[in-house]
Amino acid sequence: MLEAVGSELVSALVAAALTGLAGLARWLLARRLPARRIWRFEKAAELSTVVDTDHVDTGRYRRPVSGLGQVRALSLLVPSLHLAYRDLDLEKLHLSAHLPGSALEGDLLVLGGPKTNETAGRLLTAMADSLPFRTGGGKIIWDGTPYEGDAADGAVTRDLGVVIRAPNPFNPAARVVLLCGWSTYGTLAAARWLTTEGADRSLPADLTALVESHVLSDGHVSPPRVLRLSR
């Protein structure tokens, strides 16, 4: 009898272990691996997140701040990063003006454009020959075609976002994800597109995309639509 009970117990433990492994495999295939396809970083322990830097004059000193679009973009991006990488260190969040020079050669998530993000400016300059667009005159010029957002009564009504997923030009062994926009809402549009569409198996690891979103009066950014995509 004891032998029978022991045999049944072992069988139950083996069945439970196999069930657990099957559940883990399904979770990896359904959740973690798609999340990693979004980012394409090998690991995230040394990933530095860099947001733009502006300043507010308090009357006694200038206080560094970041834009609304970058803050809202992070709220979309962090859950995806946590799902993809257990070693994510959120302490490595920097204002662009305070990024250590050595971090420029590592894995980077950069939010905001060159106007207020020094790191974005350096990366875009270094990658200029390989990118299909340039900026100038308040426009994003893609293969010679100018694109710009819309504004009415002092508020943005349609914005453009740019997504870049590429090797780090300062260290090809590291990678960069750069999200920026025509205005701050464009950065949020870029983040929304990356988190919803970036895991698509048809997309290569390295890409550049230009997306557009409508911006409602309350600041809500609509689901982005792809205008241009370079693979």
Side-chain angles (χ1 to χ4, degrees):
M1 182 179 295
L2 290 176
E3 289 182 358
V5 171
S7 177
E8 290 178 1
L9 179 59
V10 170
S11 297
L13 289 174
V14 170
L18 291 175
T19 300
L21 288 173
L24 176 60
R26 286 195 298 272
W27 183 82
L28 287 172
L29 290 173
R31 303 288 300 281
R32 173 157 288 183
L33 293 182
R36 289 203 171 199
R37 282 201 302 272
I38 290 175
W39 298 102
R40 307 301 177 107
F41 297 118
E42 183 176 342
K43 56 184 179 180
E46 301 302 321
L47 173 67
S48 294
T49 300
V50 189
V51 296
D52 65 359
T53 310
D54 207 343
H55 292 86
V56 172
D57 192 341
T58 67
R60 299 184 62 188
Y61 61 92
R62 298 180 72 228
R63 183 179 67 201
V65 297
S66 189
L68 173 65
Q70 284 69 51
V71 174
R72 292 176 62 190
L74 278 175
S75 71
L76 290 178
L77 301 173
V78 168
S80 173
L81 280 167
H82 263 305
L83 181 60
Y85 304 100
R86 292 190 176 184
D87 58 349
L88 178 67
D89 183 359
L90 290 178
E91 292 294 322
K92 293 184 172 63
L93 173 64
H94 305 275
L95 291 171
S96 58
H98 302 156
L99 181 71
S102 58
L104 191 63
E105 299 177 12
D107 290 326
L108 295 170
L109 168 58
V110 181
L111 306 179
K115 184 178 179 180
T116 53
N117 191 317
E118 298 174 18
T119 303
R122 291 178 182 178
L123 290 169
L124 290 173
T125 298
M127 292 189 288
D129 291 342
S130 61
L131 293 176
F133 75 93
R134 60 183 177 85
T135 59
K139 296 179 175 63
I140 297 171
I141 303 165
W142 187 296
D143 289 341
T145 301
Y147 296 87
E148 60 182 321
D150 295 324
D153 299 324
V156 175
T157 57
R158 185 181 64 88
D159 210 338
L160 303 174
V162 172
V163 178
I164 298 173
R165 195 168 66 188
N168 187 328
F170 301 112
N171 175 15
R175 293 191 60 80
V176 168
V177 172
L178 192 157
L179 309 174
C180 59
W182 183 74
S183 83
T184 191
Y185 297 105
T187 301
L188 178 56
R192 186 167 185 183
W193 183 84
L194 180 67
T195 54
T196 56
E197 306 297 333
D200 192 314
R201 291 179 180 275
S202 68
L203 296 175
D206 304 336
L207 60 81
T208 305
L210 176 66
V211 303
E212 70 168 358
S213 287
H214 293 286
V215 182
L216 304 186
S217 57
D218 63 356
H220 176 75
V221 172
S222 69
R225 180 176 73 94
V226 175
L227 295 177
R228 304 292 295 265
L229 180 63
S230 177
R231 301 168 184 258

